[in-house]
Amino acid sequence: MLNFTIRRLLFTIPTLLFISFVIFFILDAAPSDPTGNLPLTIPPDVREKIRESLGLDQPMIIRYLLWCKQFFVNEPLNLLAQWGINIGDPDRLRVISFQTRSPVVDLIAQRMPQTLWVVGMSYVVGVLIALPIGIISAVKQYSWFDQMGTFISMIGFSVPTFFTGVLMIVIFSVWLGWFPSIYDTTLVVDSWRTLGLQIRQMAMPVFVLALFNAAQISRFMRASMLDNLNQDYVRTARAKGLRERTVLLVHVLRNSLIPVITVIALGVPQVFGGAIITEQVFKVNGLGQLLIIAIQGGDIPTVQTLTFIFAVLIVLFNLIADILYGILDPRIRYD
Amino acid sequence: MKLKSLLLGAAASLALASAAQAGRGDSGHLNIIYWQAASIMNPYLSGGTKDVDASSMVLEPLAHYDENGNMVPVLAADIPTVNNGGVSKDLTSITWKLKPGLKWSDGSAVTAKDVVFTANYCMDETGGCQQLAKFADVTKVEALDDLTVKITFGKPKPFPYGPFVGSTTPVIQARQFADCKGIKAPTCTEANFNPIGTGPFKVDEFRANDTITLSANQNFRDPDKPAFATVTFKGGGDAASAARSVLETGEFDYAWNLQIAPEILAQMEAKGKGKILAGFGPLVERLMVNLTDPNPKWGDERSTVKHPHPFLSDKAVRKALSMAIDRTTLVEVGYGKAGRVTCNVLPSPAIYNSTANDSCKVQDIAGANKLLDQAGWKRGPDGVRQKNGVRLSILYQTSTNAVRQDFQALIKDWWRQIGVETELKNIDAAVFFGGDQSSPDTFQKFFADIEMYANNFDGTDPEAYMGSWKCSEIPSPENAWLGANMPRYCNPAYDKLVAEMAGTADINKRAELAKAMNDMLMQDYVIIPLVWRGNVAARANTLAGVRLNVWDSDLWNIADWSREK
C-alpha cells in the first residue's frame, strides 16, 4: 500500500507540471486582455505601456517559466520564511495578481475561510441529508417516501442554483426579511450574537448548495443500497435470523458505502473550487468569486494559480479515493 | 463591522456631540455597495471606475469637478486661470497654490513636494501608470515653495487641467510611495491597499476584490466632517442584486452604476425604501458607420482607406439609416430614466450641446424610403434595395450585452422596413474592446459595416475627444490598429477645426468650435447617435447629501453625506 502511494505520488509530479503548462497555454491562447475592461478614455498607447509593465510583451514560454519559478520556488520559500526559516534573499518576486498588484497566494488565503465555511458546510449538510434519504428510499423502494425523495432530488439536480438562490433571496430576504441577502465577510464571530448573525447569513447559501449536493449523493446512495439488497449475502444474513436492523445497517450499509465514499471524496475538490454561481448570487467572497473576477479582468496570474491549485486538489483527492477504496474494501489490493 | 471601528465611531461621536449639532461621526455607519469590487486603492495602477471611486474616499486631487462640471478647489486654494495669473499668458504652464495647513491622515503636512512626487510617479516610463494620458505634454513639475506647484507643458495647453483635477489623478504621499516608483510600483501592496490620504476617510482594512472598511480621518481639514464615523464598501455580485439591497431590503445605503432593465428598477423603487438617481455626462450609445470596405477579399487591406465602402460611402444611405431609427423607443426599451434621446455625439456639458440636428428625434421611415428611392436604390425581388449589383446588406456588430442585443433586433427591423438587410453579430466585451492584435473582432479593426458601442471622455473638456475623428486617428495596420477614428472619417475641414480648437483658450469660442465639429459629424452621418446614457445610482431614503456626479467619482462629496433623522 505504501509502495503504491509513493509510486502514485511521484507520478503526479510530471502530471501536474503538464497540467500547469496546458493551463498556461490555454490562458495565453484565449483572447483576454487585462486592459480590456478599463474605461475607453484610457488611450491605446497607455494601454500598451500597461501591458508592458505587466510583462505581457515577453514570449509565452518565458512567462511560463517565470510563473513556475515564482510558484514552485519563491512561494514555498516565502511560506518557510513566515515560519521563521529564511533561505536566500527575502526579496523574492511572488506571483502577483494583475488586478490587485498583491500576491495571489495571500488573496487565496484571505478567501479560503469563507469558501470552507459556506461551501464546505453545505457539503457536510448535503452528505448528512443525503445518506439517510438514500438508505430509506432504497429500503422502502417505491413507497411514498421514495417517490418524494426522487422528486426532490430531481428538483435539486435540475433547477440551477442561480434560480433557487434568487428565489430564496426574494422569499426570505425581500418578503419575510429573515435573512440578509448579502454576505458580510468582515463579520468576526466572537459572541453568541455574532454567531447568530453568522448562522443567519450562511443559512441561504448553505441550503441552496446542500440541496444540490444532497440530490446527487442521495441518488448514489440509493442505487448502491439497491444493488446490495439483492445480493445473496443479505439473504444469508436474514436466514441466520439476524434482526432486519442489523442486516441493513451493518451488512448492507457498510458494503454500499464503498462507492459512495469514493463519490464524496472526489467531490471534495469542488468545495475548494467554491460554487462560483452561488457565491456570486449571495455575494460570498470566496474562491469561486475570486476566480470569476480574475477571469473577467484578464488577471492571468490569479486564474493560472487558482486553476492549478484546483488541479492539484483533484489529483490528490483521486489518489485519496483510491487509497480509501483499498482500506474499505478488502477485495481490492494494490500491491 | 469590527468592534474597534465601532468603538472608534462611538468615541468620535461622543466627543463631538456636545460641540456641534452635526459633528464628525454623528451619523454612525454608512454601507456602500459596488457590484464590481475594488481591487486596489491606487487609481494610478487601475483606471477602473470602481477603483477610482473607492480611492476617492481617501485620496484627493487638487480640484474636483462638481455635479455641473465646474471645477471646485479641494487641496488647492483656488482654481488657476489666465485671469488670476495662475495660467501663463502663453498657455504653457499652470501654477497651483495649496491650501495652508493641510495634513495627511498620519498627521504629517501636505506639501508641494507630494504633488511633484505624484507627477513623477505616474510619468515614470516603467511604472505602467494608467492615468498617463492625463499628464500628456507635461515636461516639468516643480515645487516653487512648500505650497506652490508649477506644471510646465511642452506646448500651449488651452485646457491645462489634465493633471490633478478629478479623482483619477489624486495626490499621493511622497513618503509612503518613495520606494514604489517605476518597476517597483506593483510590489508595494501595503501602500496600494492602505494609502495615506487627505480625504475624509482612511482605510482600516482592505480586502482586495471584496470589502473595504474605512473610518473617519481624524486629520480631515473640516473638523465637522465627515458625518459618518465608519464606512463599509462592499463589492461583488451583480447590478440587480445591488439595487435590491438598497431599494428592497434596505441593507445598503448607496449602490453604484445600476444598469438594469428600467421596468425592474421602477418596480424596486416602488417599494419605497430608496430613490433612484440619474446623472447625464457625455456618454452616448452610438452607431459607427464604416466608410471603408470590410470585405475579406481585400485581405490585409480590408477596412482600410484604400477601399471605400460599396454603399455606406453614399451619404443618402447613411442618412436613411439614421432616419429609420426610433430613438424614443430605444430609450424606453433599454434605459428608461437612465437614457435620453440625443442627436449629438457631444450632448454635454450643456454649453457644447448643439441643437442643429434635432430632426433625428422623430422616426421617419417614409422619408428614409423616399430618400433611398431618389438616390437610385431600387427594391429587389426579396425586398432588399440594390443599385448596380450592390445590395444594401449590412453586418452590424456590438459587444455582448442584453440591452445592446435588444437594440440590434429593433434596429434590424426598422432597417428591414426601408429595404436594408441586416446580419447581427455580438462579441464578448473583453474581446471587442480588448485591442488584441491577433483578434479580428476588435472594435478598432471594425471588420463589419456598422458597429455600436458607447463612449465618453474624462472631465469636462471635449478637445481630445473631438480630436478622435481627425484623419491621423484612423486605425490601420500601419499604426497597429490604434486610433479612435472608427468610421475612418477624413475631412480636411474637420481637421482644421481640431487644430483651431487646440489654439483657443476662450471657453465660448471653444464651445462654438466643438459644436461645429459635432454638427459636421452628425450632418455627414458617419456617427449615428442613439441614446444619451446617464449614470444611475440608488440611495436609501435616509441618506442625505448625495449629489450624483458624472464628471468625477460618485463619492466625490462623501464628506458631506449624512444620515437623515
Side-chain angles (χ1 to χ4, degrees):
Chain A
M1 196 68 161
L2 188 68
N3 258 336
F4 167 77
T5 313
I6 293 170
R7 208 169 57 227
R8 281 284 302 268
L9 272 176
L10 286 177
F11 194 68
T12 55
I13 294 172
T15 316
L16 286 174
L17 274 176
F18 180 71
I19 291 176
S20 76
F21 181 76
V22 170
I23 296 173
F24 204 90
F25 180 75
I26 292 175
L27 282 178
D28 188 69
S32 90
D33 177 2
T35 65
N37 280 336
L38 292 179
L40 285 179
T41 46
I42 292 178
D45 49 323
V46 175
R47 282 166 199 262
E48 198 51 47
K49 287 229 173 72
I50 297 170
R51 276 184 223 115
E52 266 171 41
S53 76
L54 295 174
L56 285 174
D57 51 341
Q58 307 269 357
M60 192 262 238
I61 193 76
I62 303 275
R63 281 183 286 132
Y64 173 66
L65 291 176
L66 190 67
W67 179 84
C68 284
K69 177 169 179 266
Q70 288 170 351
F71 187 80
F72 294 114
V73 182
N74 292 0
E75 287 294 346
L77 284 179
N78 189 65
L79 196 65
L80 286 177
Q82 279 180 2
W83 294 335
I85 307 163
N86 283 307
I87 303 168
D89 177 18
D91 226 13
R92 285 174 289 264
L93 194 58
R94 304 179 59 186
V95 185
I96 300 273
S97 139
F98 285 172
Q99 275 183 314
T100 68
R101 311 296 178 102
S102 67
V104 174
V105 176
D106 291 359
L107 289 177
I108 295 174
Q110 197 176 53
R111 280 156 182 270
M112 194 73 97
Q114 278 92 272
T115 294
L116 284 185
W117 263 107
V118 175
V119 190
M121 182 67 84
S122 72
Y123 202 64
V124 172
V125 171
V127 169
L128 289 180
I129 300 175
L131 295 186
I133 291 183
I135 295 166
I136 300 174
S137 297
V139 175
K140 307 212 161 128
Q141 201 186 2
Y142 305 130
S143 66
W144 68 267
F145 186 90
D146 184 24
Q147 307 283 8
M148 276 293 283
T150 309
F151 179 69
I152 291 173
S153 8
M154 281 306 145
I155 291 181
F157 236 158
S158 50
V159 182
T161 50
F162 62 79
F163 180 78
T164 40
V166 174
L167 187 71
M168 291 200 58
I169 288 182
V170 169
I171 295 177
F172 293 105
S173 293
V174 178
W175 290 353
L176 299 172
W178 291 354
F179 302 119
S181 71
I182 288 173
Y183 191 93
D184 177 8
T185 40
T186 58
L187 184 75
V188 179
V189 180
D190 54 4
S191 65
W192 287 112
R193 194 186 63 85
T194 46
L195 181 68
L197 285 179
Q198 177 68 14
I199 291 173
R200 274 179 56 204
Q201 70 175 354
M202 276 174 58
M204 288 199 294
V206 166
F207 180 81
V208 165
L209 279 173
L211 180 71
F212 183 75
N213 290 327
Q216 203 173 5
I217 296 167
S218 72
R219 299 314 284 170
F220 272 111
M221 189 69 229
R222 178 179 179 271
S224 173
M225 283 288 280
L226 284 176
D227 273 350
N228 277 292
L229 277 171
N230 297 326
Q231 300 267 330
D232 290 343
Y233 75 87
V234 180
R235 198 182 308 141
T236 313
R238 284 187 180 133
K240 277 200 297 187
L242 289 179
R243 283 190 307 156
E244 187 64 14
R245 214 182 137 81
T246 318
V247 173
L248 288 178
L249 293 186
V250 178
H251 293 246
V252 182
L253 179 60
R254 280 180 66 176
N255 281 308
S256 317
L257 271 178
I258 295 171
V260 176
I261 282 180
T262 320
V263 170
I264 293 175
L266 289 179
V268 172
Q270 290 169 11
V271 171
F272 289 88
I276 294 178
I277 292 167
T278 316
E279 286 192 352
Q280 193 78 352
V281 169
F282 292 100
K283 271 73 70 186
V284 180
N285 292 344
L287 290 178
Q289 205 234 13
L290 180 66
L291 181 65
I292 196 85
I293 291 184
I295 291 173
Q296 284 166 347
D299 188 350
I300 295 171
T302 309
V303 180
Q304 162 84 9
T305 308
L306 269 176
T307 344
F308 181 68
I309 290 176
F310 296 158
V312 171
L313 289 170
I314 289 170
V315 171
L316 265 184
F317 275 91
N318 262 299
L319 178 62
I320 290 174
D322 280 354
I323 295 171
L324 271 181
Y325 225 87
I327 294 172
L328 290 172
D329 191 341
R331 286 168 300 185
I332 295 171
R333 279 290 165 263
Y334 294 115
D335 296 322
Chain B
M1 198 195 333
K2 284 195 346 209
L3 193 64
K4 195 182 110 196
S5 48
L6 248 180
L7 283 175
L8 231 144
S13 47
L14 266 179
L16 290 159
S18 53
Q21 281 265 295
R24 179 176 293 163
D26 271 7
S27 291
H29 187 74
L30 172 67
N31 279 312
I32 300 173
I33 185 162
Y34 268 50
W35 53 271
Q36 287 179 4
S39 310
I40 194 164
M41 290 293 275
N42 181 348
Y44 294 107
L45 294 182
S46 172
T49 318
K50 63 200 172 77
D51 303 313
V52 172
D53 282 15
S55 52
S56 73
M57 292 184 282
V58 174
L59 298 170
E60 291 178 314
L62 296 178
H64 268 312
Y65 291 107
D66 71 5
E67 74 271 32
N68 301 315
N70 303 316
M71 277 178 274
V72 284
V74 180
L75 298 181
D78 53 14
I79 304 289
T81 59
V82 179
N83 289 337
N84 68 17
V87 178
S88 68
K89 285 254 155 40
D90 60 356
L91 307 176
T92 56
S93 75
I94 180 168
T95 309
W96 292 90
K97 279 254 179 220
L98 294 178
K99 281 181 184 149
L102 289 172
K103 280 199 167 60
W104 294 102
S105 59
D106 65 356
S108 60
V110 179
T111 70
K113 290 206 185 72
D114 292 308
V115 183
V116 175
F117 173 84
T118 308
N120 293 331
Y121 172 85
C122 184
M123 293 193 297
D124 193 307
E125 283 287 306
T126 51
C129 174
Q130 306 209 349
Q131 307 299 347
L132 198 58
K134 293 273 182 182
F135 291 87
D137 304 320
V138 174
T139 50
K140 196 164 69 175
V141 181
E142 56 197 323
L144 300 183
D145 60 51
D146 263 6
L147 295 177
T148 318
V149 187
K150 185 178 173 197
I151 302 172
T152 313
F153 298 96
K155 60 176 197 185
K157 276 272 187 190
F159 191 86
Y161 307 107
F164 304 116
V165 181
S167 301
T168 46
T169 50
V171 181
I172 55 176
Q173 195 194 32
R175 198 170 67 182
Q176 192 186 21
F177 283 87
D179 289 333
C180 305
K181 271 167 88 172
I183 199 123
K184 281 160 92 184
T187 59
C188 287
T189 308
E190 174 59 24
N192 291 334
F193 281 1
N194 300 295
I196 293 169
T198 53
F201 293 96
K202 62 181 181 57
V203 180
D204 287 338
E205 190 193 7
F206 184 89
R207 295 179 177 219
N209 288 348
D210 181 1
T211 310
I212 313 167
T213 320
L214 305 104
S215 62
N217 170 9
Q218 297 304 330
N219 288 310
F220 189 56
R221 57 187 170 278
D222 185 337
D224 291 339
K225 287 172 182 171
F228 286 101
T230 49
V231 177
T232 301
F233 184 95
K234 169 87 180 179
D238 55 288
S241 57
R244 189 179 300 120
S245 69
V246 172
L247 298 169
E248 289 195 320
T249 66
E251 291 163 85
F252 280 79
D253 298 309
Y254 186 82
W256 152 94
N257 191 13
L258 304 175
Q259 249 197 65
I260 42 181
E263 71 269 18
I264 294 179
L265 208 53
Q267 273 172 21
M268 288 184 179
E269 194 182 22
K271 300 260 163 131
K273 289 207 166 158
K275 297 236 160 26
I276 294 169
L277 314 165
F280 288 81
L283 185 65
V284 173
E285 186 84 23
R286 80 285 297 278
L287 299 178
M288 291 290 189
V289 179
N290 195 346
L291 297 175
T292 62
D293 193 356
N295 195 324
K297 76 177 174 194
W298 301 116
D300 286 346
E301 293 178 353
R302 68 191 291 207
S303 278
T304 65
V305 285
K306 294 199 180 80
H307 307 282
H309 198 281
F311 56 87
L312 288 176
S313 43
D314 180 351
K315 187 172 152 189
V317 176
R318 304 198 297 264
K319 186 172 179 187
L321 292 178
S322 174
M323 286 165 80
I325 294 169
D326 181 359
R327 290 169 174 81
T328 317
T329 303
L330 291 180
V331 169
E332 275 168 23
V333 168
Y335 296 98
K337 271 188 184 177
R340 288 180 190 165
V341 171
T342 183
C343 296
N344 296 314
V345 72
L346 181 63
S348 109
I351 54 162
Y352 299 109
N353 189 24
S354 163
T355 49
N357 316 302
D358 284 357
S359 61
C360 94
K361 286 184 175 166
V362 186
Q363 184 189 31
D364 186 4
I365 294 221
N369 270 318
K370 204 169 141 203
L371 184 68
L372 289 173
D373 285 337
Q374 281 165 356
W377 295 92
K378 296 275 174 292
R379 279 184 195 264
D382 54 354
V384 178
R385 289 176 189 272
Q386 47 193 346
K387 184 161 97 176
N388 308 330
V390 178
R391 292 174 82 240
L392 292 187
S393 174
I394 287 176
L395 175 63
Y396 171 10
Q397 71 179 17
T398 188
S399 69
T400 309
N401 163 322
V403 173
R404 292 209 167 120
Q405 268 72 76
D406 284 349
F407 276 25
Q408 280 186 315
L410 286 168
I411 291 172
K412 177 178 176 160
D413 184 57
W414 291 323
W415 285 350
R416 187 189 50 76
Q417 295 175 35
I418 60 167
V420 174
E421 179 186 65
T422 313
E423 188 191 333
L424 303 180
K425 178 175 176 182
N426 66 73
I427 301 157
D428 183 77
V431 176
F432 187 58
F433 297 115
D436 181 358
Q437 295 291 326
S438 59
S439 166
D441 288 326
T442 63
F443 75 135
Q444 288 106 338
K445 284 196 179 169
F446 201 174
F447 291 163
D449 304 298
I450 300 274
E451 67 184 3
M452 174 169 72
Y453 61 93
N455 199 359
N456 61 350
F457 54 93
D458 248 358
T460 55
D461 179 55
E463 184 188 323
Y465 179 64
M466 296 312 284
S468 312
W469 298 290
K470 309 187 278 199
C471 302
S472 57
E473 282 286 319
I474 295 177
S476 67
E478 287 76 41
N479 62 12
W481 301 100
L482 300 176
N485 189 347
M486 304 311 163
R488 283 91 166 119
Y489 180 66
C490 188
N491 184 345
Y494 189 87
D495 282 21
K496 224 178 109 195
L497 288 176
V498 174
E500 203 181 331
M501 189 167 179
T504 310
D506 178 60
I507 184 78
N508 294 317
K509 202 82 208 306
R510 288 171 73 79
E512 261 172 48
L513 288 167
K515 274 194 217 176
M517 285 188 253
N518 172 73
D519 292 348
M520 199 178 275
L521 293 170
M522 295 303 100
Q523 283 154 21
D524 271 340
Y525 298 94
V526 291
I527 297 174
I528 302 175
L530 300 176
V531 177
W532 180 12
R533 282 172 50 185
N535 269 8
V536 186
R539 69 164 175 91
N541 285 335
T542 57
L543 183 64
V546 179
R547 282 149 72 193
L548 185 58
N549 190 336
V550 291
W551 311 107
D552 211 315
S553 158
D554 272 28
L555 310 176
W556 71 289
N557 71 335
I558 193 167
D560 303 334
W561 293 14
S562 64
R563 182 76 63 199
E564 230 163 42
K565 294 291 175 320

